[in-house]
Amino acid sequence: MTPLRILIVDDEELARRRLVRLLADLPGVELAGECDAGQAALTRLREPDADVDVVLLDIRMPGLTGLETAALLGDDGPYVIFTTAHDDHAVDAFDLGAVDYILKPIEAVRLHRALERARQRLGGQRAGSREFVRLPVTTREGIVLVDPQALTHAVFDGALVTLHLDGRTLLTDQSLQDLEDRLPATAFERVHRRALVNLEKIERLEPLETGGYNARMAGGDLVPISRQAARRLRRRLGLS
């Protein structure tokens, strides 16, 4: 199991120490660093060698708040789990795509559950995933039964998800996460917050100056691979 690399962001030293201790006792995780402010976290994550899968992010901090920091991470950033003493920001947090929202004092079992949820999103061990002969996809024309082997990639445009199949496309209001959970975990990889690809349909990886890649898919389409996902994909392909 590839360890999740975790960045802790909290302006309180005692809170950071507690998280460090909790992480030390959890399986399959690795501390990638600590920051005491949102701006420091953004600077750290923009470094060329940054390798972070999940940010444990406090909300009320001097300077940039946790919500502002998460918004600035963008689609290319790591997943975020908010860790806070305040319960009045949960709606805003999940609107920003947070994996989870944990109230302090944080307990090991609760933290472990949140991190496993992040692992599932990152394409690791997807609890309960099954290999369907056909994938039911809800469209305006009805439910279409899709052969997963015919699916090259799926992309979210901010409103709907477009499934690119051999020779055709489908539009659905199902989420990428829902599709990912239903597809064979061995064949598909979430390479971006907005993109899911069939590994068998990648023809080549084209490097970008940002440290990410474009995946050239069968059929010629280019799919962006975030910098964070690029590292995971390289490890999965045995390239690093």
Side-chain angles (χ1 to χ4, degrees), residues 82-116:
F82 285 102
T83 57
T84 177
H86 308 281
D87 63 0
D88 53 344
H89 299 290
V91 172
D92 291 335
F94 286 112
D95 282 346
L96 288 169
V99 172
D100 212 332
Y101 189 96
I102 309 177
L103 292 177
K104 298 175 180 177
I106 296 169
E107 301 297 333
V109 172
R110 183 69 180 85
L111 179 60
H112 178 67
R113 187 163 69 243
L115 291 172
E116 286 306 299

Side-chain angles (χ1 to χ4, degrees), residues 37-48:
Q39 187 57 59
L42 293 174
T43 300
R44 171 74 177 85
L45 291 168
R46 288 167 182 161
E47 293 175 356

Side-chain angles (χ1 to χ4, degrees), residues 11 36-39 59-69:
D11 63 306
D36 62 3
Q39 187 57 59
I59 286 186
R60 295 191 182 178
M61 298 183 291
L64 289 175
T65 67
L67 294 172
E68 291 168 338
T69 302

